[in-house]
Amino acid sequence: MAGTVAERDALVSKIEDGHLNNSLGSPVQADVYFPRLIVPFCGHIKGGMRPGKKILVMGIVDLNPESFGISLTCGESEDPPADVAIELKAVFTERQFVRNSCVAGEWGEEQSSIPYFPFIPDQPFRVEILCEHPRFRIFVDGHQLFDFYHRIETLSAIDTIKINGDLQLTKLG
């Protein structure tokens, strides 16, 4: 196992505090270290987003998936709904990885063009969302898949990650 008991306890306490672990260190067994990575998941991004910050989502697609989604939002509010800086949705029936945003209750134009569909039922995946000044860069399994230009101007307000659908989470960073 990677790390000492003290390091493991520190990681577990970060997750229990509702904050994501920002390190991108070696993979850690989810069932041992992160018992709270349950779907649907909602977690706080400490300090919000900023250019150079990366969000890592690792998981395993369910055996018979319909879809799953990853959203970065400005808070957790449901009523009124929080602004959605980026919503990524893998739709298996259409083999699409669509993205959109919702600002002041209005959804923008959905984007769906991708060079290939990277997700396979019952297989692990790694999604990285890199925040740059004008855009998010999305990587799946180490390959850049697309860019999504910011529709929310205050990047630091993007402080919540929500994950739902047909997947198991194994690591967040």
Side-chain angles (χ1 to χ4, degrees), residues 4-137:
T4 66
V5 172
E7 288 170 335
R8 184 197 71 220
D9 291 344
L11 290 174
V12 170
S13 71
K14 281 185 182 181
I15 293 296
E16 289 172 349
D17 287 345
H19 296 291
L20 291 175
N21 170 21
N22 285 323
S23 75
L24 296 175
S26 60
V28 180
Q29 291 295 322
D31 55 345
V32 176
Y33 293 104
F34 298 113
R36 298 198 175 214
L37 289 183
I38 55 172
V39 176
F41 177 86
C42 182
H44 182 72
I45 302 167
K46 190 173 182 179
M49 295 302 290
R50 65 181 180 281
K53 192 162 192 169
K54 186 186 293 186
I55 299 291
L56 170 69
V57 178
M58 292 175 69
I60 301 170
V61 177
D62 285 352
L63 185 58
N64 294 303
E66 289 181 26
S67 67
F68 69 83
I70 302 168
S71 299
L72 300 183
T73 65
C74 301
E76 299 178 39
S77 175
E78 298 292 335
D79 189 23
D83 283 348
V84 179
I86 185 170
E87 177 181 79
L88 304 170
K89 188 171 185 180
V91 183
F92 286 82
T93 53
E94 300 168 16
R95 296 183 58 79
Q96 289 289 325
F97 195 28
V98 296
R99 53 265 182 212
N100 205 346
S101 65
C102 183
V103 182
E106 297 288 324
W107 284 95
E109 186 176 332
E110 186 173 273
Q111 299 174 8
S112 61
S113 174
I114 51 174
Y116 63 95
F117 186 71
F119 303 104
I120 301 169
D122 202 32
Q123 293 297 310
F125 66 87
R126 174 188 181 108
V127 172
E128 295 172 81
I129 304 169
L130 174 62
C131 183
E132 293 183 345
H133 182 61
R135 66 188 163 228
F136 290 111
R137 285 216 136 135

